[in-house]
Amino acid sequence: MDQHRSHNPNSSYQNCLSAYKRDRDESGRNPCRSKHSRPNHHPYKSGPTPQPNPPSSQGLSTRRELYERDFPVYKQPVEVGCFSLDSKRRFFNDSRQMRYYVEPDRNPNFDLRDGYKYRFIKRDDSVKEKLDHILRWILANRSKLSSRVTTASPCALDVDIVTWRGHLTKLLTSPYETREGWLLAVTRFRGTLYISEVETEAARRDRENRTERHEEMMYWGYKFEQYTCADNAQSVPDPGGVVNTNEAFCTVVQTRLADHRLLFSGEVDCRDKDPNAPAPPACYIELKTSAEICTPKQRSNFHRFKLLKWWAQSFLPGVPRVVAGFRDHEGVVVTVDTFPISKMSHLIKRIATEDNPSVVYLFSWEPHRDVTYSVHRDSQYSFLPHWYVEEMTSS
């Protein structure tokens, strides 16, 4: 499945990296570049006044100018599996939740508010699932991964990093993020780094204090998916049904970033229903909504900020295009556009040395500051469950 492209650095997938660098250079590199790196003095909370960062082996600058260099080799991602989560968030090692894209009219007038009050089942986002679903997929597919295991350790995975696609997206876009920080817990177990997000205090406060308007606008994205996705290639969308955000279809891909072998999973909105479409992940489509663009300033901000995240999110698993519904203030989609994925943000590194499932390296970052980390043993940040550790260490 596209293996020849996986080993060809001159493929179209690599060409998009050059296109990103060229477009970035033409548009001006760093209009908001800061003069100093800034630390996160407390590993969990940001202080009111950033101070210059003293030299430290436990800090990593996210100044953009430090990463203005050729992008490292990133191989074409290859899908090695998938899984589904049902209406009760139960794991299934199959594609039962896959949906098929049905292209709408260019000006569809979809009412994204429809069904919010009476046909909406919202996932409890206070429940933190960590890496559990990915770990269940790994245990269910050990035979599929058997050709990649090491001879020295038959239970080990022959990958360097296991994580969610969303966590990698946050790392990639950090030099350009101006509002939201993050906490990432890293544990080394049997030679593999597992990366799981920890909710920051700021994110927790935002989640617990969302306005009704904010909650409704979050629903709009799911409703757009309902207008444009069918349950199979022969059917049509059913916008009169229930929107249940517990349900999900996730791809699992392998790739390589320079010398780092990655195994990660990400939710997929839908796939191309054309039977002649390329094999996954090249047939997948990301669906988004955004406010309609009415002024040059709005267009500039859209390209500088929102599109960057869309590109990073889709580029990582090899999803080739984003379909966006642009809506007015009342939540009505007035136009639909398609964006090919051809640009990417920058890479930042992370370090974890001790191989122990109870040891967590907690990486912390706030906008305009440096990445810092702290080490925790047998703490509340541990995230590899006992059932996974025991199964992976048993013969």
Side-chain angles (χ1 to χ4, degrees):
M1 180 172 64
D2 291 332
Q3 289 185 355
H4 63 288
R5 288 189 291 168
S6 299
H7 299 277
N8 182 5
N10 297 317
S11 68
S12 59
Y13 197 71
Q14 287 293 330
N15 290 342
C16 72
L17 295 175
S18 299
Y20 166 70
K21 186 175 186 300
R22 180 174 62 253
D23 292 346
R24 184 190 61 201
D25 291 344
E26 291 172 354
S27 62
R29 290 193 176 206
N30 298 308
C32 300
R33 179 184 296 175
S34 61
K35 295 182 179 179
H36 302 285
S37 60
R38 299 176 185 271
N40 187 350
H41 292 290
H42 192 284
Y44 316 120
K45 298 179 182 179
S46 59
T49 305
Q51 300 295 327
N53 190 41
S56 171
S57 61
Q58 294 190 345
L60 175 67
S61 175
T62 57
R63 288 182 298 170
R64 302 180 201 176
E65 59 266 33
L66 299 179
Y67 303 97
E68 299 289 349
R69 59 174 73 107
D70 291 339
F71 197 87
V73 173
Y74 186 73
K75 285 191 174 181
Q76 177 81 26
V78 175
E79 183 177 78
V80 293
C82 63
F83 60 86
S84 297
L85 304 176
D86 72 359
S87 60
K88 296 182 180 179
R89 210 64 183 170
R90 292 176 299 191
F91 172 92
F92 292 90
N93 187 34
D94 56 37
S95 62
R96 67 184 64 192
Q97 292 292 344
M98 168 66 74
R99 296 179 298 176
Y100 296 79
Y101 178 64
V102 178
E103 186 172 3
D105 295 335
R106 179 70 189 275
N107 307 107
N109 289 318
F110 293 149
D111 183 3
L112 301 181
R113 300 167 300 177
D114 178 56
Y116 174 66
K117 294 292 187 181
Y118 308 108
R119 302 195 311 276
F120 177 35
I121 300 175
K122 181 178 179 295
R123 182 172 78 88
D124 184 356
D125 54 10
S126 67
V127 176
K128 303 307 174 185
E129 297 170 326
K130 304 176 183 178
L131 298 184
D132 286 6
H133 296 310
I134 305 174
L135 302 182
R136 288 189 176 94
W137 181 89
I138 290 174
L139 294 182
N141 292 273
R142 293 178 70 179
S143 61
K144 184 181 295 187
L145 300 173
S146 61
S147 62
R148 304 171 186 56
V149 301
T150 63
T151 55
S153 180
C155 294
L157 301 177
D158 191 26
V159 295
D160 299 310
I161 296 171
V162 172
T163 191
W164 283 108
R165 178 264 313 271
H167 302 352
L168 297 177
T169 301
K170 290 187 176 184
L171 288 172
L172 289 170
T173 57
S174 291
Y176 298 91
E177 178 59 55
T178 60
R179 296 187 304 171
E180 300 175 354
W182 46 253
L183 280 173
L184 292 176
V186 181
T187 289
R188 181 184 291 273
F189 174 53
R190 298 185 71 82
T192 296
L193 296 176
Y194 295 82
I195 304 177
S196 181
E197 185 174 22
V198 176
E199 185 175 41
T200 65
E201 283 300 309
R204 181 191 60 78
R205 289 193 300 269
D206 289 346
R207 173 174 56 80
E208 294 177 349
N209 295 284
R210 289 176 190 147
T211 65
E212 181 66 16
R213 171 72 173 180
H214 189 182
E215 292 282 1
E216 182 178 10
M217 292 178 70
M218 292 176 64
Y219 165 82
W220 289 355
Y222 296 104
K223 185 64 181 181
F224 180 65
E225 295 175 15
Q226 190 184 57
Y227 274 115
T228 54
C229 296
D231 290 337
N232 58 69
Q234 291 73 42
S235 62
V236 296
D238 177 22
V242 174
V243 172
N244 188 330
T245 60
N246 289 291
E247 299 173 348
F249 169 79
C250 296
T251 182
V252 181
V253 301
Q254 275 193 320
T255 185
R256 183 184 290 270
L257 179 63
D259 294 329
H260 306 291
R261 299 160 299 176
L262 310 181
L263 177 73
F264 61 90
S265 179
E267 186 171 347
V268 173
D269 294 328
C270 58
R271 62 158 292 159
D272 193 326
K273 68 175 182 177
D274 185 344
N276 297 318
C283 63
Y284 293 150
I285 301 170
E286 185 73 25
L287 302 177
K288 297 291 187 181
T289 59
S290 187
E292 63 179 327
I293 299 172
C294 301
T295 68
K297 179 65 173 178
Q298 290 173 339
R299 182 170 298 278
S300 174
N301 287 337
F302 172 75
H303 282 89
R304 287 180 58 197
F305 302 113
K306 183 162 285 189
L307 269 187
L308 176 62
K309 290 186 178 181
W310 291 2
W311 283 325
Q313 181 184 27
S314 297
F315 179 86
L316 283 166
V319 175
R321 56 178 165 145
V322 172
V323 174
F326 291 91
R327 44 91 185 158
D328 62 19
H329 185 70
E330 299 302 317
V332 176
V333 176
V334 295
T335 186
V336 175
D337 283 326
T338 299
F339 298 88
I341 302 304
S342 60
K343 300 179 181 179
M344 193 173 182
S345 183
H346 298 283
L347 169 73
I348 58 175
K349 300 177 181 178
R350 52 244 166 243
I351 301 172
T353 55
E354 184 173 349
D355 195 312
N356 187 331
S358 65
V359 174
V360 167
Y361 296 79
L362 188 66
F363 290 77
S364 175
W365 179 77
E366 292 290 340
H368 311 299
R369 300 185 175 206
D370 287 359
V371 177
T372 61
Y373 74 88
S374 53
V375 183
H376 304 263
R377 297 175 182 273
D378 298 308
S379 69
Q380 71 269 34
Y381 300 112
S382 298
F383 58 88
L384 288 183
H386 292 299
W387 50 262
Y388 181 77
V389 173
E390 292 173 0
E391 183 70 18
M392 290 297 291
T393 52
S394 65
S395 58

